[in-house]
Each structure stands twice: as structure tokens, then as C-alpha cells.
Amino acid sequence: RTVTSAPEIVSASGRDWPERVLPGWIELVALCCGLLVSLGLGYWAVQHNTHGERLRFEHEAGNMAHSIHLRLRGYEEMLRGAGALFEIPGETTRAEFAAYARALDLQSRYPGLHTLSFARYVRAEDRAAYDRRRRPLAPGQVYRELEIHPRGERNDYVVTEYLEVLK
């Protein structure tokens, strides 16, 4: 008896060669494609998250800058009001300055403010006249000589006349 093997069937087109040469190649290609897609999506997610964080930071920074601007604007308006108090005719008294500071309710409206003061600019040639017109602290009080500190001759002076410490 002769044993013959079954004839090998080969397709006419020869398209079955990859399966014979590289078994499991479809699975390998699918794995590589999946890894590439996963890496691409991971990169996109990191970039998207970074962009979102940057936008959120810029938005919060803008809000904070606006808030600071408004707060400083309020301080500026309060100081302009204090300056206007000294623009009225006649000398502003210590009592008027204290009443103005109380009326502003500075402690609740401006919590960062600890004192409110008024300082006058005096040129050297005007110092003698300035010293002559200084007034007592309040009616009935004995006038005491106030000195400009630091002592010494200068071209100009900035003299603190009124100081309200906020409690």
C-alpha cells in the first residue's frame, strides 16, 4: 500500500502567505494600532488638561486683579475725600479731621487701614510762617510747641499735622 498525502490546496491568488509566514500578525498590528491610539489620546488629554488649567488660572488671576483694582480705587477715593476736606476755605481743625475719619467708618470699609493722617508740604522759605500759624490742639488747651522732625535745615519738609489711629 502506498500512502499518499492529501494535496496541498494553494489559492490561485497566493493571499494566504502572511498567515503561513507570520502567524498572529493581525493581532500584532491591532496591538500596535491600539497602543498608538492610546498614546495619542493620552497626549491629547494631558495637553487639553494643561490648557484648561492655564485658562482657569488666567481667569482667576484676572478676577483677582480686578478685585484689587476696585479695592485700590476705593482707597484712592477715600484719600481724595480727605484731601477735599483741606481744600475748603479756612483751617481744618483736629476735631473736624477726627469727625471726618469717624464718619468714613474706616474700620469696617477698609480693614487694611490702620491710621489716617494728613501731612502738609512746607518749603524752607515758608517754614517761619508755618510755625507762627500753628494752633492749639483744641479750644481751651494749652498750646505746646510742636517740632518738625528730624531736626535740621532742609529745602522742604513734610509735616504730619493730624493722625487718627483706627481701633
Side-chain angles (χ1 to χ4, degrees), residues 104-120:
L104 288 177
D105 189 27
L106 296 172
Q107 292 167 316
S108 63
R109 296 179 67 206
Y110 302 99
L113 197 63
H114 299 286
T115 60
L116 181 64
S117 61
F118 172 73
R120 188 178 305 274

Side-chain angles (χ1 to χ4, degrees), residues 69-113:
H69 173 75
L70 291 178
R71 180 58 105 177
L72 289 176
R73 184 72 169 204
Y75 281 96
E76 179 185 355
E77 293 301 322
M78 184 266 309
L79 291 174
R80 287 184 186 277
L85 177 67
F86 291 91
E87 294 295 324
I88 58 175
E91 185 76 20
T92 301
T93 66
R94 186 175 305 277
E96 290 170 335
F97 185 74
Y100 173 78
R102 278 191 309 276
L104 288 177
D105 189 27
L106 296 172
Q107 292 167 316
S108 63
R109 296 179 67 206
Y110 302 99
L113 197 63

Side-chain angles (χ1 to χ4, degrees), residues 2-125:
T2 347
V3 178
T4 61
S5 63
E8 190 175 310
I9 302 173
V10 178
S11 68
S13 64
R15 292 187 188 175
D16 61 343
W17 72 266
E19 290 176 6
R20 283 181 285 131
V21 176
L22 298 172
W25 72 276
I26 293 177
E27 292 84 0
L28 185 62
V29 169
L31 175 68
C32 290
C33 288
L35 285 174
L36 286 175
V37 168
S38 294
L39 287 173
L41 288 175
Y43 178 77
W44 175 82
V46 167
Q47 294 303 315
H48 182 70
N49 189 34
T50 302
H51 179 70
E53 290 295 320
R54 184 174 49 248
L55 288 177
R56 187 176 10 258
F57 173 79
E58 289 173 1
H59 178 71
E60 289 179 16
N63 286 344
M64 185 60 67
H66 182 69
S67 175
I68 291 170
H69 173 75
L70 291 178
R71 180 58 105 177
L72 289 176
R73 184 72 169 204
Y75 281 96
E76 179 185 355
E77 293 301 322
M78 184 266 309
L79 291 174
R80 287 184 186 277
L85 177 67
F86 291 91
E87 294 295 324
I88 58 175
E91 185 76 20
T92 301
T93 66
R94 186 175 305 277
E96 290 170 335
F97 185 74
Y100 173 78
R102 278 191 309 276
L104 288 177
D105 189 27
L106 296 172
Q107 292 167 316
S108 63
R109 296 179 67 206
Y110 302 99
L113 197 63
H114 299 286
T115 60
L116 181 64
S117 61
F118 172 73
R120 188 178 305 274
Y121 173 75
V122 179
R123 293 189 304 246
E125 58 267 16

